[in-house]
Amino acid sequence: MKQNGLFTSENKYKQEHIIPCYACDGAFALKPASFMDYAQEIAYLAATSLGFGYDALQEHHTAWVLSRMTMEFINLPKWRDAVELHTWHKGVNGLFFMRDFQMLGETGDILAVATSSWLVINTETRRLVRSDDVLNMIPYTTQCNEHAIEEPSPKITMPKGVEQEHIKDHTVVYSDVDFIGHTNNARYAVWAMDCIPNEVTFSTPVRRLDLNFNRECKQGEVVSINRVREEVDGVLCYYVEGTVEGKQAFIAKITF
């Protein structure tokens, strides 16, 4: 991934990338989890450039954690495509710090958009930090009020009255965990997509992915993963939920 980026006049931070083979699926298209990899890295770089990134928060024993994310894929880029990724922060909405993303093709066409909701935790107590304590680090003048997706990422719930299908138990391993000490957010997208039948993922592109992260998963923990299939008015959705000791760790809604 290309590490250098720059800010535009609209307070957006942008990077150029060439889509690598390892970020693509069997149809040569960018995987949703790979989009999340790009998004989380550019989010950290943009925040760092403005003085409220990982290192700045570490001085106060705090860290950014992703709570919710919604991605809409209009025309997924393919292997070797040149793309430009933009991100910008939109200030605070309740407890959440809002950040949006937009991926553009070579001709400026929109390939994917996303909106995300972040929290700040104390890395020693693992408890939430009040937004007021962080706002002083974030100059209002660095904000951009444009929406990649207008509505904030929603709270997801499993459909009622439908029996969940148990897919697997997954033990959190070395490759799942990031430098904060919990499962990296993109890994939940990997777990969710791995629960979808091959005949779906190989023939139908993902149009939207909603993710809620409700409990951190640490190495060695066992995550019980269930799914529900739903088709309404010709729109196919899969809900995938992961629980640890009966408590929901994450839930995803994948729309094809």
Side-chain angles (χ1 to χ4, degrees), residues 190-229:
V190 172
W191 299 349
M193 290 298 299
D194 284 347
C195 291
I196 310 303
N198 289 340
E199 60 269 23
V200 176
T201 56
F202 275 86
S203 63
T204 312
V206 176
R207 294 303 176 194
R208 176 168 167 140
L209 173 57
D210 295 282
L211 269 164
N212 290 178
F213 309 92
N214 297 319
R215 179 191 183 278
E216 62 179 346
C217 296
K218 298 180 180 180
Q219 191 166 345
E221 291 185 325
V222 177
V223 184
S224 177
I225 303 178
N226 293 351
R227 78 176 180 204
V228 167
R229 182 186 185 278

Side-chain angles (χ1 to χ4, degrees), residues 161-211:
V162 180
E163 185 176 353
Q164 298 184 25
E165 179 184 2
H166 181 68
I167 302 301
K168 61 181 178 180
D169 291 328
H170 175 80
T171 300
V172 180
V173 294
Y174 165 83
S175 59
D176 294 320
V177 178
D178 62 19
F179 54 77
I180 297 176
H182 63 197
T183 298
N184 181 267
N185 60 68
R187 296 301 298 172
Y188 296 100
V190 172
W191 299 349
M193 290 298 299
D194 284 347
C195 291
I196 310 303
N198 289 340
E199 60 269 23
V200 176
T201 56
F202 275 86
S203 63
T204 312
V206 176
R207 294 303 176 194
R208 176 168 167 140
L209 173 57
D210 295 282
L211 269 164

Side-chain angles (χ1 to χ4, degrees), residues 89-109:
H89 76 94
K90 302 192 297 185
V92 177
N93 182 3
L95 291 173
F96 296 119
F97 294 85
M98 311 301 293
R99 176 172 289 279
D100 280 10
F101 305 87
Q102 189 178 65
M103 181 174 277
L104 306 177
E106 286 188 276
T107 60
D109 51 318

Side-chain angles (χ1 to χ4, degrees), residues 156 208-211 230 237-240 251-255:
I156 308 164
R208 176 168 167 140
L209 173 57
D210 295 282
L211 269 164
E230 181 181 72
C237 293
Y238 281 89
Y239 293 81
V240 180
I251 183 169
K253 180 182 179 183
I254 308 167
T255 305

Side-chain angles (χ1 to χ4, degrees), residues 47-64:
T48 298
S49 297
L50 294 174
F52 52 90
Y54 173 79
D55 294 324
L57 266 66
Q58 276 292 99
E59 293 179 7
H60 303 280
H61 306 289
T62 56
W64 292 107

Side-chain angles (χ1 to χ4, degrees), residues 67-189:
S67 180
R68 297 178 184 177
M69 189 166 187
T70 293
M71 294 152 277
E72 293 182 355
F73 303 109
I74 296 114
N75 184 18
L76 280 168
K78 300 295 183 79
W79 176 39
R80 296 180 290 198
D81 283 353
V83 300
E84 195 170 86
L85 184 61
H86 293 220
T87 188
W88 60 96
H89 76 94
K90 302 192 297 185
V92 177
N93 182 3
L95 291 173
F96 296 119
F97 294 85
M98 311 301 293
R99 176 172 289 279
D100 280 10
F101 305 87
Q102 189 178 65
M103 181 174 277
L104 306 177
E106 286 188 276
T107 60
D109 51 318
I110 299 175
L111 305 177
V113 291
T115 189
S116 58
S117 304
W118 298 73
L119 297 167
V120 176
I121 64 165
N122 183 297
T123 54
E124 296 178 340
T125 65
R126 315 307 279 189
R127 293 185 177 180
L128 292 181
V129 176
R130 293 191 327 171
S131 58
D132 291 348
D133 295 335
V134 185
L135 277 176
N136 292 332
M137 301 175 62
I138 305 176
Y140 177 78
T141 53
T142 64
Q143 191 171 308
C144 174
N145 294 321
E146 184 179 326
H147 299 293
I149 298 175
E150 188 165 353
E151 293 296 321
S153 187
K155 180 179 180 180
I156 308 164
T157 56
M158 277 287 198
K160 297 187 183 298
V162 180
E163 185 176 353
Q164 298 184 25
E165 179 184 2
H166 181 68
I167 302 301
K168 61 181 178 180
D169 291 328
H170 175 80
T171 300
V172 180
V173 294
Y174 165 83
S175 59
D176 294 320
V177 178
D178 62 19
F179 54 77
I180 297 176
H182 63 197
T183 298
N184 181 267
N185 60 68
R187 296 301 298 172
Y188 296 100

Side-chain angles (χ1 to χ4, degrees), residues 228-245:
V228 167
R229 182 186 185 278
E230 181 181 72
E231 189 165 357
V232 179
D233 297 328
V235 177
L236 177 62
C237 293
Y238 281 89
Y239 293 81
V240 180
E241 179 186 57
T243 60
V244 176
E245 296 181 351

